[in-house]
Amino acid sequence: MSADPLHRAGTPQRSTTSQPPSGPRASAIEVRRSARRRRTVSAYREGDRTIVLIPARMSEAEEQRWVSVMLDKLAAQESRRVPGDAELAERAERLSAQCFGGRARPTSVRWVTNQNTRWGSCTPAEGSIRLSHRLQGMPEYVIDYVLAHELAHLLVPGHGPDFWRLLEAYPRTERARGYLEGVVAAERLPHPPDARGE
């Protein structure tokens, strides 16, 4: 018998891995089928992977539907969770290591409520980074993009070609920029009148 817990009797019979097309859910997805599991479906994140646990008897169509449902549930849970200033600082350190070889070292990273026209700001001379509270509740990859953007400013102050080349190190730059542009566009749309005509 294998020592691997995934190969014991009653554990997943089949495990598949797929990649969703795009969006904040674009991590690898592993579906694990279990003969023991009768009705329940669950999902959790494991690093950059999303694990979805389903009953073995489910059809391929049911599997696809439940994967989509569970990805939406996880995204909703994650969007409600707001990282504190200490977690922002840890994320900034991780992003600096991943994207900039650890060269961008902020002295402080915090949320602020006085930035209503910018998503973030940076004072390179002080090494301080501030993120607008309006980002709270947005997908993590969007918050990470704004953090990476401000970290890049610690290395290159302006928005010239060198800055944008440096920021290419963050893999979800285009997706995050598209998300933020969509938020700005939605804010500019006229609001429909109240249903009572007020």
Side-chain angles (χ1 to χ4, degrees):
M1 177 186 269
S2 169
D4 181 355
L6 293 178
H7 294 102
R8 286 192 212 131
T11 55
Q13 295 176 340
R14 183 169 63 90
S15 180
T16 58
T17 303
S18 61
Q19 189 83 12
S22 63
R25 309 182 307 179
S27 62
I29 299 168
E30 183 176 333
V31 177
R32 296 180 184 167
R33 290 176 172 263
S34 172
R36 284 182 157 173
R37 192 174 283 269
R38 297 287 178 222
R39 290 185 298 255
T40 60
V41 176
S42 61
Y44 60 93
R45 305 281 192 209
E46 190 176 84
D48 286 342
R49 304 177 78 74
T50 301
I51 311 299
V52 181
L53 307 170
I54 65 172
R57 63 171 174 70
M58 276 193 180
S59 69
E60 293 294 324
E62 288 175 309
E63 175 183 318
Q64 289 178 5
R65 184 177 73 80
W66 275 106
V67 165
S68 181
V69 166
M70 298 313 289
L71 289 174
D72 287 342
K73 284 179 87 168
L74 283 174
Q77 289 169 358
E78 290 167 354
S79 71
R80 287 192 295 269
R81 194 173 113 349
V82 176
D85 290 351
E87 188 176 342
L88 281 182
E90 289 172 12
R91 287 169 81 167
E93 185 177 336
R94 176 178 45 82
L95 284 166
S96 177
Q98 288 174 351
C99 300
F100 311 118
R103 295 179 298 133
R105 296 182 182 163
T107 56
S108 68
V109 183
R110 61 189 173 93
W111 294 109
V112 293
T113 57
N114 63 351
Q115 289 189 36
N116 294 315
T117 58
R118 292 194 280 179
W119 298 115
S121 62
C122 171
T123 307
E126 298 173 3
S128 61
I129 292 175
R130 295 158 303 280
L131 298 188
S132 172
H133 72 287
R134 295 184 312 137
L135 289 166
Q136 294 175 348
M138 289 188 187
E140 289 189 6
Y141 77 95
V142 175
I143 296 170
D144 282 351
Y145 162 72
V146 176
L147 265 176
H149 184 107
E150 301 309 331
L151 286 166
H153 278 311
L154 292 176
L155 303 173
V156 179
H159 286 107
D162 289 343
F163 173 82
W164 293 111
R165 270 193 297 279
L166 185 64
L167 195 54
E168 286 174 2
Y170 180 67
R172 295 185 173 181
T173 292
E174 289 307 312
R175 183 176 296 137
R177 290 184 71 188
Y179 185 99
L180 293 171
E181 287 169 6
V183 170
V184 171
E187 289 173 352
R188 291 182 182 151
L189 291 173
H191 295 284
D194 187 306
R196 293 169 291 171
E198 296 176 2

